[in-house]
Amino acid sequence: MCAKMTKEITEIYKFAPRNNIFSMIELKDLSIGYVQKKFTTVVLSGINATLREGELTCLIGQNGIGKSTLLRTLSAFQPRLGGEICIDGKSIDDYADRELARMIGVVLTSKPDVQNLTVSEMVGLGRSPYTGFWGTLSKNDEEIVREAMEQVGISSLSKRMIQTLSDGERQKVMIAKALAQQTNIIFLDEPTAFLDYPSKVEMMMLLHRLSRETNKMIFLSTHDMELALQIADTLWLMTNKTMHIGTPRQLANEGHLSELLERKDIDFDKQTMQIKVKF
């Protein structure tokens, strides 16, 4: 069961910035996986962790370890196999879909399968949890869309058609859409996929800045280890047995990053936090 918020946390809620809202996600003995016909595949069980707003948390691990499965489960796109996901002391099951749409924004790896929408129209879709059936934007909605594009640095692209954008520009549009959704929580699945290295750095720095400026909880999966080690506040290192959680320095000192990264031709320097190829 999800524990009720304590008096101390309630006081923090009262004085927290950004509309007096403070968000926290707690995972309690969470078990994730999927069901196919009569078979159930458990990806990982016994996950106990906490996510808080104002922090950038990166989920790392080997290919196929189940990072996307965890993100889909946290986003309520697929059911958990066991345990609890609690948002602000309340089970995720107790929130209506419309409530969750006002709490959680999701940016997926796949490119949006839409054309003939301008950037501002695409970002405006983030207002759908608030606009009702017809989706008509009020002046206030339009101002929120404008601010979201400005925060991400794409105001100059507002009239461009989605299909004319580069991968990096398109990814920024999807992040602006999530910002326009005005959720406290943003989950991103491989947001730097398809980007060149300078664009990867720019994207990670943008997400780090947004976690600070907007006080949002930003949780993303990534294979860009070197960037995650430098920019993340907290790492979740997922293995097939457990989840290791801590700062990059903590996981390095405990040897977990070496176990993940080191191979015959790859070395990880705990002191400098650098990944080196051995010739």
Side-chain angles (χ1 to χ4, degrees):
M1 296 295 290
C2 295
K4 298 294 184 181
M5 289 186 294
T6 65
K7 180 180 179 181
E8 289 78 8
I9 292 178
T10 303
E11 287 299 307
I12 294 173
Y13 277 42
K14 185 186 299 183
F15 297 106
R18 195 174 42 76
N19 299 324
N20 293 332
I21 298 173
F22 178 91
S23 288
M24 181 169 65
I25 294 179
E26 293 180 277
L27 312 184
K28 300 184 177 182
D29 293 321
L30 179 66
S31 179
I32 63 171
Y34 43 90
V35 178
Q36 294 177 315
K37 296 182 179 179
K38 298 181 179 180
F39 299 97
T40 298
T41 300
V42 178
V43 171
L44 188 62
S45 59
I47 305 173
N48 291 282
T50 301
L51 289 167
R52 294 182 179 84
E53 67 175 19
E55 296 182 356
L56 175 65
T57 302
C58 290
L59 174 65
I60 60 175
Q62 295 179 347
N63 285 337
I65 202 68
K67 297 186 296 296
S68 294
T69 300
L70 176 58
L71 276 169
R72 288 195 300 270
T73 304
L74 295 182
S75 306
F77 288 172
Q78 72 179 66
R80 64 188 182 278
L81 299 183
E84 288 285 349
I85 301 173
C86 305
I87 304 177
D88 299 342
K90 181 178 174 181
S91 173
I92 196 172
D93 298 334
D94 295 333
Y95 289 97
D97 290 345
R98 194 174 186 84
E99 287 181 290
L100 285 177
R102 295 185 179 191
M103 298 180 72
I104 301 174
V106 181
V107 179
L108 300 175
T109 305
S110 57
K111 300 176 183 179
D113 188 22
V114 295
Q115 293 191 6
N116 300 320
L117 284 180
T118 66
V119 166
S120 60
E121 288 170 338
M122 187 67 180
V123 176
L125 294 178
R127 299 302 298 158
S128 58
Y130 309 92
T131 55
F133 179 78
W134 297 107
T136 303
L137 300 186
S138 66
K139 288 185 177 180
N140 182 59
D141 291 321
E142 291 175 350
E143 178 62 19
I144 291 170
V145 168
R146 186 194 66 77
E147 289 178 355
M149 291 190 294
E150 186 176 309
Q151 282 180 307
V152 180
I154 57 170
S155 298
S156 62
L157 305 178
S158 62
K159 302 301 182 183
R160 289 268 301 274
M161 304 302 289
I162 287 293
Q163 64 267 26
T164 70
L165 302 179
S166 68
D167 290 336
E169 290 170 336
R170 191 182 298 109
Q171 195 72 304
K172 288 182 180 179
V173 170
M174 300 312 294
I175 292 172
K177 175 176 173 287
L179 289 175
Q181 197 173 332
Q182 287 192 313
T183 62
N184 301 338
I185 304 158
I186 300 179
F187 294 141
L188 305 100
D189 191 10
E190 292 289 344
T192 57
F194 313 121
L195 304 183
D196 57 32
Y197 190 76
S199 298
K200 289 177 187 286
V201 174
E202 182 185 8
M203 182 62 64
M204 291 292 282
M205 292 296 290
L206 168 64
L207 293 170
H208 184 271
R209 175 173 61 81
L210 289 174
S211 71
R212 298 301 192 272
E213 292 182 354
T214 65
N215 208 35
K216 293 182 185 295
M217 178 193 306
I218 298 182
F219 181 69
L220 63 92
S221 65
T222 183
H223 285 107
D224 293 312
M225 297 294 182
E226 290 180 303
L227 291 179
L229 294 181
Q230 295 180 67
I231 296 173
D233 295 306
T234 304
L235 293 178
W236 288 21
L237 197 170
M238 190 173 182
T239 72
N240 59 7
K241 294 182 179 180
T242 190
M243 184 80 74
H244 300 292
I245 298 174
T247 66
R249 173 57 63 187
Q250 286 173 330
L251 295 191
N253 291 341
E254 293 168 1
H256 301 307
L257 290 177
S258 295
E259 291 177 9
L260 172 67
L261 298 169
E262 289 189 346
R263 298 290 186 274
K264 178 182 177 182
D265 298 320
I266 302 173
D267 188 36
F268 175 68
D269 190 321
K270 295 180 183 180
Q271 300 304 315
T272 63
M273 302 286 285
Q274 291 184 328
I275 303 167
K276 299 178 180 180
V277 177
K278 294 184 290 186
F279 290 94

